[in-house]
Amino acid sequence: MHGIPRKAPTQEERDGSSIKAAKLRDLQSQLLHFHYNKIYTKEAIEISAQLLESNPEHYTGWNYRKLAVQHLLDRHQENEVDSELPQSVLDEELRLVENALKRNFKAYGAWHHRKWVLSKGHSSPDRELRLLGKLQKLDSRNFHAWNYRRFITELKKIPDEDELQYTTDMIYDNFSNYSAWHNRSMLLSKLLEKRAKGYDKTENVLSEEFEFVRNALFTDPDDQSGWFYHLWLLGQTLKREPLVISSSPPHGSNLSLSIDNPDCQPSFSKIYHQSKERTFPLILYFSEAVVGVSSSTVTVEFDYDGGDGLIWHPLSANKLGFSQAWLAYIKYPHDSLESCHVKVTVAQFPGIISSSGMPCSQSCFISFTASVCSNNQEHSKVQTTHKISWNEENFKAHSTHPEDANLLASLCKLNITKENMPTTPMLCIETISNEIACSRELLSSSNCKIGKLILARLLVAHNTLMTYGCMDSITEAHYEEILALYHDLMKMDHAHIGYYEDEYSLVVMKQLTSNTESLLKLCGNYEELSLPSISSYTCVRLKGLSLSRVSCMEHLLWVQMLDLSHNKLRSIEGLEALQLLSCLKLSKNRFSSFTALEPLKMLKSLQVLDVSYNEIGAHSIDTRRYMCSSPLNSTTGSEWQLKRFAEEDADMKHFWDAYLLFKDLNLVQLDIVGNAVVDERLKAFLVKLMSALKWFDGESCH
């Protein structure tokens, strides 16, 4: 049991345990013999009962009982000698399960076996409910009993409304009943989904539930059971239809496609992309993770190609394939230099579904112009060989002039007709506002850790609801209050500081990118003053912000140069969406392995990378390094070109994770100095691997 210290067993207890273990081994040996030889005699069944009453966790024993019972029932059906035999056999099984549960109330196998017996239809659900009543008086929070109760109520067809009242009674009896709160959430989900009588207005139901759970929270703020239900209610309140919130290229933009390198200056008004294959990336960014983005749900009208054959790929997808960002490549004709018009229509046909189960039905469209710009071969040669110094004097900040602000705002512009503009019901906003006021009142008298966390989440939820369906910033965003709450939590609960740092980073990024004025302060142009003939880069600088995670990339899809140095990053998941990114600075962060940089493989335009002064190779045991298999012991090994590397130096096998990362990158400049893993052998390996590399740790490779 939790909280009860263990005591060393006495000699008498050890002797008793030895005798018991010997008996169990004997019973187990006999049962396995019966099971293997399909022996279902009365003696064999009795021995299996003895074993299960002594050890209810013996799964093979329960499986044997099922086979034995089914054997007896099948034989009775063939002979039909005793009409009462099925009932007596099943009653004996129920008695056995009861004895086993007395031994161990949390034995999975026993509960599953009881369900199997009930499914045979010869037992009374009413009797089971009475038994559950007795069991739940002994342990009202036992989730096995609650799970079995859901099975019985479904079998008996008890209305969900009646069961909801039962959870109310159990919660009033003990508001610290996690299982009762969980069962309540499941019942409410079903009632809301089928829009049962009295549950057809979701906003009203959730408002009443917030008031109900508040009684528990104010009674004991440190008890987490009610807070978990409160969090579930918050998630239900935030369920909204997924929307396309940004794209690359953005609506109304001009995309300049270069075969080699452009003799033109990229800017907010014109987006530049280099591709020898004459392809350019199309990114759709949704308000939440979705699936179903395909040529069937997204229509692309292209002057030279209908776009029907586009293949969409999720970026940073979870295990189920849901992703906020989706990528497809559009092919520009080889024999054309004329500009063309592209129109992308999203959700014209159904099929896009969010991770919360909400369909995307609000159709919107994005249109832009693509063209091939002229090239200058002399200029191309300089452009690909010069070194990026990242010097401060080379950055030129954008002004807050209305012209710059309008250009920046256009990067996130979508054409959604007002008739289809989604909105948030006022009752939802009022409910969240009321919860914020109550949480503040609670924290005024109790310095509750989870109360602070919930208040921070409520404030974020309020911002989300207020901005849903529009790109305009809100005047009262509570960012400073949210950041102060997470700062307090980092000091109060150091065990979960990683989580709080991630949430803090998310809020910081939302604050910086939520409106044009704040975003403009981060933007600028980068141009090497010593090489004025070199094209400049549109740049965003996010250095020294204590960021531990990457977020809000929907506002930065147009970025060509990004400075994320002097932060706390351990992962760059989310950067895959920045398909125009050419230069990336990640120095002085907390990356501990090359596998943490794996998303870089999706950035086809990346040429300059700085990961200097991180922690790569500094940890003797780095579990993240082994999240992907070594090519030396998997099918990936076929890609290693062993004749080129392994035969020359057997130690090269130690750099397999570096190989898997850098073999897919077309880098011109790389900086990795200051990492523990760096030595001359690694440098030689990488120079040999990346033929396009011109600059390595500040020095020319040739």
Side-chain angles (χ1 to χ4, degrees):
M1 296 294 290
H2 299 292
I4 300 178
R6 293 186 178 184
K7 296 181 179 179
T10 63
Q11 183 60 44
E12 183 179 352
E13 289 172 336
R14 285 197 291 269
D15 293 342
S17 296
S18 298
I19 295 172
K20 179 182 176 181
K23 181 180 178 181
L24 284 174
R25 281 195 293 270
D26 180 57
L27 290 173
Q28 179 175 282
S29 177
Q30 293 183 69
L31 180 133
L32 293 176
H33 169 73
F34 298 146
H35 191 24
Y36 181 78
N37 293 285
K38 299 181 180 180
I39 299 174
Y40 305 121
T41 62
K42 183 178 180 180
E43 177 188 5
I45 294 174
E46 287 178 354
I47 288 175
S48 69
Q50 294 177 37
L51 174 62
L52 291 169
E53 287 176 345
S54 299
N55 180 16
E57 295 287 354
H58 201 288
Y59 288 92
T60 303
W62 290 114
N63 288 332
Y64 171 78
R65 292 289 296 196
K66 290 182 179 65
L67 294 172
V69 168
Q70 193 62 53
H71 173 78
L72 294 175
L73 296 178
D74 291 344
R75 191 173 64 178
H76 168 265
Q77 190 174 6
E78 292 175 1
N79 300 328
E80 296 185 358
V81 178
D82 185 0
S83 60
E84 296 183 358
L85 178 65
Q87 188 65 52
S88 63
V89 169
L90 296 175
D91 285 345
E92 175 60 24
E93 291 306 298
L94 293 176
R95 184 197 64 78
L96 172 63
V97 173
E98 285 185 39
N99 291 338
L101 291 175
K102 290 177 183 177
R103 183 83 177 184
N104 182 0
F105 195 19
K106 298 182 179 181
Y108 285 87
W111 286 108
H112 283 298
H113 192 70
R114 197 169 188 89
K115 283 184 180 180
W116 180 81
V117 173
L118 264 291
S119 67
K120 294 297 180 181
H122 290 273
S123 302
S124 169
D126 292 321
R127 178 177 177 275
E128 296 303 300
L129 283 176
R130 289 193 296 271
L131 176 63
L132 277 172
K134 295 178 182 179
L135 293 174
Q136 289 187 307
K137 284 184 179 180
L138 297 174
D139 184 0
S140 62
R141 306 199 308 181
N142 185 279
F143 75 91
H144 295 278
W146 281 94
N147 185 42
Y148 188 64
R149 183 179 185 88
R150 285 190 287 273
F151 170 76
I152 294 298
T153 55
E154 187 174 345
L155 201 65
K156 194 172 172 13
K157 293 182 170 51
I158 296 177
D160 292 329
E161 294 85 346
D162 294 351
E163 277 301 287
L164 190 67
Q165 182 58 45
Y166 178 77
T167 65
T168 303
D169 297 338
M170 295 294 284
I171 289 169
Y172 276 133
D173 185 58
N174 177 13
F175 62 78
S176 186
N177 193 329
Y178 285 85
S179 297
W181 288 113
H182 174 251
N183 200 47
R184 189 176 187 85
S185 68
M186 297 187 69
L187 291 166
L188 270 178
S189 296
K190 291 166 63 177
L191 290 168
L192 291 172
E193 184 178 357
K194 64 185 180 183
R195 303 181 71 83
K197 185 178 180 180
Y199 298 88
D200 53 334
K201 295 183 178 179
T202 303
E203 293 80 13
N204 292 338
V205 173
L206 295 177
S207 180
E208 293 172 0
E209 288 299 305
F210 272 118
E211 185 176 352
F212 175 70
V213 73
R214 200 179 303 130
N215 295 324
L217 303 182
F218 273 76
T219 303
D220 186 358
D222 291 317
D223 185 85
Q224 296 186 14
S225 55
W227 287 114
F228 277 111
Y229 185 69
H230 189 280
L231 182 60
W232 177 80
L233 289 175
L234 181 59
Q236 297 302 301
T237 307
L238 290 175
K239 283 181 71 171
R240 290 289 176 269
E241 180 178 332
L243 304 173
V244 179
I245 54 177
S246 67
S247 68
S248 178
H251 178 69
S253 64
N254 295 313
L255 173 70
S256 183
L257 184 66
S258 172
I259 309 305
D260 294 305
N261 284 279
D263 192 22
C264 53
Q265 295 289 330
S267 64
F268 283 160
S269 59
K270 177 171 285 188
I271 296 175
Y272 147 68
H273 179 69
Q274 177 188 346
S275 172
K276 294 181 179 180
E277 293 79 20
R278 285 180 170 243
T279 62
F280 60 89
L282 174 60
I283 299 283
L284 296 179
Y285 212 103
F286 290 81
S287 56
E288 59 180 295
V290 299
V291 292
V293 178
S294 66
S295 57
S296 300
T297 55
V298 178
T299 304
V300 179
E301 300 174 49
F302 187 35
D303 287 351
Y304 299 102
D305 187 2
D308 296 335
L310 290 184
I311 299 176
W312 289 91
H313 305 279
L315 302 175
S316 300
N318 63 17
K319 293 181 180 179
L320 299 177
F322 288 88
S323 175
Q324 277 191 272
W326 288 78
L327 166 68
Y329 287 99
I330 296 181
K331 182 81 171 179
Y332 204 94
H334 281 281
D335 55 350
S336 175
L337 294 176
E338 297 181 2
S339 62
C340 64
H341 182 72
V342 181
K343 181 180 178 181
V344 182
T345 306
V346 184
Q348 187 174 9
F349 302 101
I352 300 176
I353 307 293
S354 72
S355 55
S356 60
M358 299 293 289
C360 178
S361 61
Q362 302 292 342
S363 179
C364 69
F365 73 85
I366 304 136
S367 62
F368 56 91
T369 301
S371 61
V372 176
C373 69
S374 60
N375 292 282
N376 183 303
Q377 295 300 321
E378 183 69 22
H379 177 83
S380 298
K381 184 177 180 181
V382 176
Q383 176 78 5
T384 57
T385 57
H386 82 280
K387 183 177 70 171
I388 298 293
S389 63
W390 299 94
N391 290 335
E392 190 74 22
E393 60 269 20
N394 294 334
F395 291 95
K396 180 183 177 183
H398 283 297
S399 67
T400 56
H401 190 275
E403 184 179 354
D404 280 344
N406 291 336
L407 287 172
L408 181 58
S410 70
L411 294 173
C412 297
K413 184 179 178 182
L414 287 178
N415 198 334
I416 303 176
T417 60
K418 291 184 178 180
E419 292 78 19
N420 292 332
M421 185 69 74
T423 58
T424 299
M426 282 306 300
L427 182 57
C428 286
I429 297 176
E430 291 172 2
T431 299
I432 296 300
S433 298
N434 187 45
E435 289 304 304
I436 290 173
C438 291
S439 295
R440 286 171 175 162
E441 179 186 351
L442 178 63
L443 290 174
S444 66
S445 58
S446 172
N447 192 29
C448 173
K449 177 183 70 176
I450 194 168
K452 286 178 178 287
L453 177 59
I454 294 298
L455 177 57
R457 288 174 172 171
L458 283 168
L459 293 169
V460 171
H462 184 269
N463 293 347
T464 301
L465 293 176
M466 291 295 291
T467 58
Y468 177 73
C470 64
M471 297 305 298
D472 299 327
S473 60
I474 54 179
T475 56
E476 188 182 7
H478 311 292
Y479 289 122
E480 294 301 329
E481 183 179 0
I482 300 170
L483 293 174
L485 287 167
Y486 280 120
H487 189 266
D488 290 345
L489 287 166
M490 288 182 220
K491 294 189 291 185
M492 294 174 64
D493 185 13
H494 192 76
H496 300 100
I497 191 171
Y499 170 78
Y500 300 135
E501 286 180 341
D502 284 353
E503 294 301 301
Y504 184 93
S505 301
L506 178 60
V507 177
V508 168
M509 285 297 297
K510 283 186 177 294
Q511 183 181 32
L512 294 174
T513 62
S514 60
N515 62 73
T516 305
E517 184 178 354
S518 60
L519 185 54
L520 263 178
K521 295 177 182 178
L522 306 172
C523 299
N525 281 330
Y526 178 91
E527 183 176 353
E528 287 289 339
L529 298 180
S530 59
L531 294 168
S533 61
I534 302 304
S535 297
S536 64
Y537 298 92
T538 54
C539 177
V540 170
R541 304 172 74 188
L542 299 170
K543 59 186 295 186
L545 298 175
S546 298
L547 302 177
S548 64
R549 65 176 287 189
V550 172
S551 60
C552 299
M553 292 297 103
E554 66 271 21
H555 299 290
L556 306 176
L557 300 181
W558 43 270
V559 173
Q560 294 177 308
M561 190 175 200
L562 181 61
D563 186 353
L564 282 165
S565 61
H566 296 82
N567 282 297
K568 302 177 181 178
L569 296 173
R570 293 185 175 89
S571 168
I572 54 170
E573 185 176 357
L575 277 185
E576 301 98 319
L578 306 189
Q579 287 293 306
L580 301 180
L581 192 63
S582 296
C583 308
L584 177 61
K585 188 173 185 179
L586 297 170
S587 61
K588 296 186 178 179
N589 276 280
R590 297 179 179 177
F591 298 106
S592 58
S593 65
F594 287 120
T595 54
L597 303 172
E598 191 171 351
L600 296 179
K601 295 193 292 186
M602 294 294 295
L603 302 179
K604 304 302 182 184
S605 297
L606 188 65
Q607 292 187 318
V608 178
L609 175 64
D610 184 351
V611 290
S612 60
Y613 299 100
N614 274 277
E615 302 172 9
I616 301 174
H619 304 285
S620 57
I621 300 178
D622 181 9
T623 55
R624 189 174 181 83
R625 185 174 189 264
Y626 300 100
M627 290 178 69
C628 59
S629 300
S630 165
L632 298 181
N633 56 21
S634 70
T635 55
T636 315
S638 60
E639 303 177 8
W640 255 76
Q641 302 178 13
L642 292 180
K643 288 184 178 180
R644 182 180 176 188
F645 295 106
E647 290 180 358
E648 296 183 11
D649 192 340
D651 290 336
M652 290 300 176
K653 65 183 179 181
H654 297 299
F655 303 135
W656 61 266
D657 49 350
Y659 172 82
L660 290 179
L661 171 65
F662 291 108
K663 73 180 181 65
D664 294 315
L665 299 180
N666 189 32
L667 296 180
V668 174
Q669 178 177 326
L670 174 63
D671 291 277
I672 62 172
V673 67
N675 288 285
V677 72
V678 178
D679 56 22
E680 293 303 318
R681 289 185 295 112
L682 176 60
K683 289 183 177 182
F685 177 78
L686 292 178
V687 169
K688 184 183 298 184
L689 178 65
M690 294 182 285
S691 58
L693 198 63
K694 307 298 182 184
W695 299 92
F696 196 163
D697 285 340
E699 299 180 358
S700 175
C701 297
H702 305 288

